[in-house]
Amino acid sequence: MSALAHRRFLKMHGAGNAIVVLDLRGSAAKVRPEEARAIAQDPGSSFDQLMVLHDPVSPGTDAFMRIYNTDGSEAGACGNGTRCVAYAMLDDPAMARPAEGGRLVLETAAGRVGVRRISERAFTVDMGRPKLAWDEIPLSEPFPDTRRIELQIGPIDEPILHSPAAVNMGNPHAVFFVDRDPASYDLARIGPMLENHPLFPERANISIAQVTEREAITLRVWERGAGLTLACGTAACATVVAASRLRMIGRQAHVRLPGGELFVEWRADDHVLMTGPVALVAEGNLAPELFSGAA
């Protein structure tokens, strides 16, 4: 029997991003890719990202987080999911641990992430510093300026999308800036092609963004390993960084996604802060039969 059988989970939303939080602290259990896929396929526990809590690894941290996409692959960061984890660790009767001042330090494969409570259902996440060099993103070939890289889709003389900005915010991102509503683009068709483009050796999150005001951006995201999503926190952060580097905005913006709004600030110390809401949808237990055919 899977070590995950009967494990309690929380199903949450972070600005529309479907999140499942699973607490494995105090055990040696780990989530295998096929188990993550099985959890995602069940309607009661379906997710955009699965946030799994493990015991702290480094001193000064409250937990180690592993983040899974619906296809079972791991992500380095998930801002919307991190806010949901913070709520669970501070408020959920079964998962809560004492924390001073509503602040947590969580560790991921991409590094440490600080979180602080803003209100009962809102949190600010310190997403760290963006990586902007081509080999840090990473790209498969060198680009001295990643504000706009050579990539397009569609006819050479009239491309549908072209010249995205490339940023790593714990995950690789390519952001295409456009002059019309991002919803007018067939991202469900375009996204998979660009996610798996040879230019992105670790695949990439694909975003279409429109700067509508000096501090307002409308955004749609095809998420690596998850597909079309109502929200993506790392994409919102990457988009604000990219727009700021192109002098389309200052260093902060309200980012409007189909699932809700996030506020992102790229501070002078190079850290990117993202603030947004969380919502508790349901709680449940993982049924043993869920893993009988995990593959």
Side-chain angles (χ1 to χ4, degrees):
M1 181 182 293
S2 169
L4 304 182
H6 303 296
R7 289 278 182 175
R8 180 175 175 271
F9 67 88
L10 296 183
K11 188 164 184 177
M12 303 186 68
H13 278 175
N17 216 175
I19 303 294
V20 165
V21 181
L22 182 63
D23 189 359
L24 297 182
R25 289 174 293 174
S27 79
K30 292 184 178 180
V31 176
R32 293 178 285 125
E34 60 269 27
E35 292 173 322
R37 290 194 293 270
I39 295 169
Q41 290 164 10
D42 184 76
S45 58
S46 61
F47 60 80
D48 292 321
Q49 270 73 43
L50 171 65
M51 313 294 291
V52 183
L53 296 177
H54 295 278
D55 291 321
V57 173
S58 302
T61 62
D62 295 287
F64 188 92
M65 287 192 312
R66 291 195 180 278
I67 306 166
Y68 296 85
N69 298 312
T70 56
D71 66 356
S73 63
E74 288 196 48
C78 176
N80 289 327
T82 299
R83 295 198 314 277
C84 293
V85 165
Y87 174 85
M89 290 182 65
L90 293 173
D91 282 13
D92 180 70
M95 297 186 191
R97 303 285 192 274
E100 186 175 346
R103 294 175 180 265
L104 297 166
V105 178
L106 305 170
E107 190 172 12
T108 74
R112 294 189 179 194
V113 180
V115 194
R116 62 186 172 92
R117 169 166 253 148
I118 301 300
S119 66
E120 182 182 1
R121 294 294 177 96
F123 295 83
T124 294
V125 182
D126 184 343
M127 300 294 292
R129 296 178 172 88
K131 295 178 181 178
L132 304 173
W134 71 271
D135 55 342
E136 293 179 320
I137 291 168
L139 303 175
S140 60
E141 55 186 85
F143 284 90
D145 186 354
T146 55
R147 290 177 298 179
R148 292 195 183 276
I149 63 173
E150 294 178 17
L151 175 64
Q152 67 178 44
I153 190 164
I156 294 177
D157 55 347
E158 196 173 351
I160 299 169
L161 295 169
H162 66 91
S163 308
V167 180
N168 186 303
M169 281 301 318
N171 306 311
H173 289 267
V175 184
F176 292 87
F177 289 99
V178 296
D179 294 328
R180 67 174 195 262
D181 186 354
S184 65
Y185 294 82
D186 189 358
L187 189 54
R189 181 180 65 84
I190 295 169
M193 292 187 286
L194 292 171
E195 173 193 352
N196 296 285
H197 192 281
L199 190 57
F200 307 115
E202 297 180 7
R203 299 187 293 166
N205 295 266
I206 307 301
S207 295
I208 301 178
Q210 180 189 25
V211 177
T212 56
E213 299 173 34
R214 184 61 179 171
E215 292 189 355
I217 298 173
T218 300
L219 182 66
R220 289 188 76 218
V221 183
W222 174 272
E223 200 160 5
R224 178 185 67 166
L228 273 179
T229 183
L230 293 177
C232 178
T234 58
C237 294
T239 298
V240 168
V241 169
S244 180
R245 295 182 76 206
L246 290 166
R247 302 188 183 280
M248 302 171 79
I249 62 169
R251 295 183 70 92
Q252 62 184 37
H254 295 270
V255 183
R256 301 182 184 119
L257 296 119
E261 184 173 298
L262 300 169
F263 179 72
V264 178
E265 178 187 7
W266 186 16
R267 292 190 317 202
D269 65 1
D270 204 30
H271 281 240
V272 180
L273 271 60
M274 179 192 62
T275 301
V278 301
L280 178 61
V281 177
E283 61 177 89
N285 295 86
L286 298 173
E289 55 268 24
L290 193 61
F291 308 105
S292 60

